């Protein structure tokens, strides 16, 4: 995104310290550890939120919380993708 849109401000979040520690050096400074069910951002502070293959890992009550959090912090819109399910519980979610 930074290459396509000069001057854009970005931030990334992952629940895993391992993921942040092993991120590419060019983006590591924009990342922090956190949870989708309690996003560490102010209301309406992010223009666009993108969630890729994350939400399907949550329990149903956490999924609802995460979707509400995305709505809370996002001004313009969000793009959410989910992975294929691996079991009946994920299929139900």
């Amino acid at each position: 995104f930074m290459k396509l849109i000069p001057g854009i401000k970005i931030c990334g979040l992952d629940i895993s310290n391992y993921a942040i520690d092993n991120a590419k050096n060019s983006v590591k400074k924009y990342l922090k550890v956190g949870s989708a069910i309690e996003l560490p951002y102010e209301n309406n502070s992010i223009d666009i939120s993108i969630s890729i293959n994350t939400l399907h890992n949550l329990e149903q009550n956490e999924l609802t919380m995460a979707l509400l959090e995305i709505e809370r912090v996002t001004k313009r819109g969000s793009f959410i993708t989910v992975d294929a399910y691996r079991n009946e519980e994920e299929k139900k979610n």
Side-chain angles (χ1 to χ4, degrees):
F1 287 112
M2 294 172 65
K3 289 180 182 179
L4 293 172
I5 308 169
I8 190 173
K9 294 180 183 176
I10 64 166
C11 56
L13 186 75
D14 198 288
I15 199 161
S16 165
N17 282 314
Y18 177 85
I20 304 298
D21 292 343
N22 291 282
K24 291 183 178 184
N25 288 331
S26 61
V27 298
K28 195 178 286 195
K29 66 182 176 182
Y30 303 105
L31 307 176
K32 66 170 79 175
V33 175
S35 172
I37 63 172
E38 192 175 338
L39 295 172
Y41 306 111
E42 298 293 323
N43 294 351
N44 299 310
S45 62
I46 296 174
D47 287 326
I48 300 169
S49 295
I50 300 172
S51 174
I52 301 172
N53 295 343
T54 301
L55 300 180
H56 71 279
N57 294 306
L58 302 174
E59 300 291 330
Q60 190 165 4
N61 65 322
E62 293 175 330
L63 177 59
T64 300
M65 293 168 63
L67 290 170
L68 290 171
E69 278 293 277
I70 291 170
E71 285 291 315
R72 179 184 67 78
V73 302
T74 307
K75 287 187 233 180
R76 297 185 184 179
S78 56
F79 177 81
I80 299 170
T81 63
V82 292
D83 202 2
Y85 57 88
R86 298 169 290 189
N87 56 47
E88 288 300 313
E89 184 176 345
E90 286 182 0
K91 181 180 179 181
K92 181 180 172 187
N93 284 346

